[in-house]
């Protein structure tokens, strides 16, 4: 199931949960306020497929599938039991080197609790303000002993101000490109309206939020948490209701290796396995190429709608049995954001190789930030002298293959409308090819 709530709330005629404060001002423009022009309507758009959750229906029964998508199993698959997972700390007790370097990766940091170390945005006076296209509305970011907060402040009249404050409960994003923030309302999880944008080192409107309008109602659905967390208990309806204490943040070791309790018990037993024997754990490197790609493709193949319950896919499974991904035809444009596996499969390098996968270039256990450092992987197959730019650039082309053949490009689906401007991130295109703009 995948719902995307673009916007939806009524006008700000003292909505519940808002604090009204009285202020005195010398003057105020008499223009009719943007936010008090009557009630807004709820707009909900379907993102691949729409799930109509009603009491008494399981996630599988409630799900609507796209025409031509695989049929859901008559025996719905369930996520592994929480007790079958042991957590990263137990993994690090044996795999210390990999465990230590993994702590700094974007996967591990994709969600975490707010703290001085995890919050990338500035909370100092002046830098903690986001002005909007609406001159009567701004957002303030603040911190105090009780936590980190976002506040929307609206000037209703020369003497009246409405404000709504919500605490930042979860940080999503490693801050390589940015961070968004989530908050709990009871046991329902929502996205906050202000995001931190790394390229501009500033606060911006969260993607898909309208500029100049205060929304705190974008529901966080299971498909979001499945790629920005490692475990949760979903308790619909409504679609964004979870057990708060069940959340395991960040991408943990067991998201790619499968539940580890049996593996730990086996290796701590009196008769641990010898080298080469079954280890009761998944080593993705030992899987077939398609199954290796499925491990990454769960979150890097583009938009997908669940066929089975979220978190039921385990490394080694066939992804198409769990997620319906509308694979694009070769002549269809695929956005650079979140579609790395689809783009890689379009590459001549991939198509001419029998064993190329994501981990041919990526080591997920360590931080990789320098694009030029990937060049040796390219040169294991390609000779610099065969490059069309060699006569002009010479041997220096061997120092940076990636920025020419996998350039950074603007995403067409991920952007922020802030201050009347459209802010678009630059994302690495994973289709390895010759690009005219890189010549």
């Amino acid at each position: 199931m995948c719902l995307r709530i673009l916007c939806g709330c009524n006008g700000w005629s003292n909505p519940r949960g808002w604090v009204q404060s009285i202020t005195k001002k010398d003057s105020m423009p008499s223009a009719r306020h943007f936010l008090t022009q009557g009630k807004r309507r709820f707009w909900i758009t379907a993102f691949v497929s729409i799930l109509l959750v009603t009491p008494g229906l399981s996630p599988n029964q409630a799900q609507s599938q796209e025409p031509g998508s695989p049929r859901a199993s008559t025996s719905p698959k369930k996520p592994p039991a929480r007790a079958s997972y042991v957590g990263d700390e137990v993994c690090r007790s044996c795999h210390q080197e990999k465990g230590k370097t993994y702590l700094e990766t974007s996967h591990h940091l994709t969600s975490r609790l707010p703290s001085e170390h995890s919050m990338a945005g500035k909370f100092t006076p002046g830098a903690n303000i986001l002005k909007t296209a609406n001159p009567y509305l701004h957002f303030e970011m603040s911190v105090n002993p009780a936590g980190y907060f976002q506040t929307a402040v609206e000037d209703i009249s020369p003497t009246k101000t409405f404000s709504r404050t919500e605490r930042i409960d979860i940080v999503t994003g490693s801050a390589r490109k940015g961070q968004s923030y989530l908050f709990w309302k009871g046991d329902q999880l929502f996205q906050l309206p202000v995001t931190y944008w790394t390229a501009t080192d500033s606060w911006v409107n969260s993607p898909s939020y309208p500029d100049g309008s205060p929304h705190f109602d974008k529901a966080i659905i299971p498909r979001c948490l499945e790629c920005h967390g490692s475990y949760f208990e979903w308790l619909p309806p409504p679609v964004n209701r979870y057990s708060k204490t069940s959340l395991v943040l960040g991408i943990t070791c067991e998201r790619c290796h499968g539940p580890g309790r049996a593996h730990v018990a086996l290796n701590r037993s009196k008769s641990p396995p010898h080298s080469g024997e079954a280890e009761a754990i998944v080593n993705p490197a030992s899987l077939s190429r398609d199954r290796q790609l499925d491990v990454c493709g769960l979150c890097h193949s583009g938009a997908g709608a669940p066929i089975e319950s979220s978190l039921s896919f385990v490394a080694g499974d066939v992804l198409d049995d769990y997620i319906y991904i509308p694979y694009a035809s070769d002549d269809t444009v695929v956005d650079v954001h979140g579609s790395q596996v689809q783009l890689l499969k379009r590459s001549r390098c991939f198509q001419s190789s029998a064993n190329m996968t994501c981990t041919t270039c990526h080591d997920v256990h360590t931080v990789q930030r320098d694009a030029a450092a990937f060049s040796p992987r390219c040169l294991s197959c390609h000779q610099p002298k065969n490059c069309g730019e060699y006569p002009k650039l010479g041997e220096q082309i061997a120092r940076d293959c990636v920025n020419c053949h996998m350039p950074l490009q603007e995403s067409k689906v991920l952007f922020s409308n802030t201050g009347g401007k459209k802010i678009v991130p630059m994302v690495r295109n994973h289709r390895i090819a010759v690009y005219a703009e890189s010549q």
Side-chain angles (χ1 to χ4, degrees), residues 232-291:
F232 56 86
E233 293 178 15
W234 187 36
L235 305 173
V239 71
N240 62 329
R241 181 171 175 254
Y242 307 93
S243 168
K244 293 173 66 173
T245 58
S246 72
L247 263 66
V248 176
L249 301 177
I251 301 301
T252 64
C253 306
E254 291 163 290
R255 288 294 280 136
C256 297
H257 291 279
R261 185 164 299 281
H263 171 72
V264 171
L266 180 63
N267 281 273
R268 289 180 176 177
S269 69
K270 294 181 180 180
S271 301
H274 297 291
S275 177
E277 293 183 346
E279 289 274 359
I281 197 76
V282 177
N283 179 0
S286 67
L287 299 174
S288 68
R289 178 161 86 154
D290 286 344
R291 298 294 78 76

Side-chain angles (χ1 to χ4, degrees), residues 119-166:
M119 297 293 296
K122 294 181 174 64
F123 290 80
T124 52
N128 66 332
I129 302 295
L130 172 62
K131 296 181 179 180
T132 72
N134 172 9
Y136 302 100
L137 172 72
H138 71 275
F139 293 92
E140 298 176 2
M141 274 49 70
S142 59
V143 57
N144 61 47
Y148 296 81
F149 299 87
Q150 290 187 10
T151 300
V153 181
E154 181 202 9
D155 299 323
I156 296 298
S157 73
T159 60
K160 187 179 296 185
T161 296
F162 282 142
S163 65
R164 175 175 175 175
T165 298
E166 296 292 351

Side-chain angles (χ1 to χ4, degrees), residues 174-375:
S174 66
R176 186 178 182 185
K177 295 189 181 300
Q179 289 181 335
S180 281
Y181 309 97
L182 314 182
F183 74 98
W184 289 105
K185 211 59 174 170
D187 53 7
Q188 296 179 51
L189 194 58
F190 296 89
Q191 183 182 18
L192 284 160
V194 180
T195 285
Y196 171 75
W197 206 267
T198 301
T200 58
D201 189 21
S202 64
W203 301 103
V204 301
N205 284 314
S206 293
S208 84
Y209 274 69
D211 190 10
S213 183
H215 289 284
F216 289 79
D217 55 1
K218 185 176 180 180
I220 298 301
I221 61 173
R223 185 70 178 127
C224 299
L225 289 183
E226 188 171 37
C227 290
H228 286 279
S230 290
Y231 196 86
F232 56 86
E233 293 178 15
W234 187 36
L235 305 173
V239 71
N240 62 329
R241 181 171 175 254
Y242 307 93
S243 168
K244 293 173 66 173
T245 58
S246 72
L247 263 66
V248 176
L249 301 177
I251 301 301
T252 64
C253 306
E254 291 163 290
R255 288 294 280 136
C256 297
H257 291 279
R261 185 164 299 281
H263 171 72
V264 171
L266 180 63
N267 281 273
R268 289 180 176 177
S269 69
K270 294 181 180 180
S271 301
H274 297 291
S275 177
E277 293 183 346
E279 289 274 359
I281 197 76
V282 177
N283 179 0
S286 67
L287 299 174
S288 68
R289 178 161 86 154
D290 286 344
R291 298 294 78 76
Q292 288 188 51
L293 291 169
D294 281 351
V295 175
C296 303
L298 177 66
C299 296
H300 295 283
S301 284
I307 297 169
E308 300 290 348
S309 298
S310 294
L311 299 179
S312 57
F313 172 86
V314 175
D317 290 337
V318 177
L319 181 61
D320 286 343
D321 291 341
Y322 293 80
I323 304 288
Y324 169 58
I325 298 172
Y327 295 104
S329 59
D330 290 342
D331 58 349
T332 303
V333 175
V334 175
D335 194 76
V336 290
H337 171 69
S339 301
Q340 291 89 345
V341 172
Q342 285 203 53
L343 289 165
L344 175 65
K345 287 182 176 181
R346 293 185 171 196
S347 305
R348 183 177 175 183
C349 289
F350 179 87
Q351 295 170 0
S352 62
S353 169
N355 53 20
M356 185 180 188
T357 67
C358 305
T359 55
T360 300
C361 295
H362 290 289
D363 180 356
V364 296
H365 297 105
T366 190
V367 176
Q368 294 176 304
R369 291 287 184 268
D370 182 11
F374 289 97
S375 293

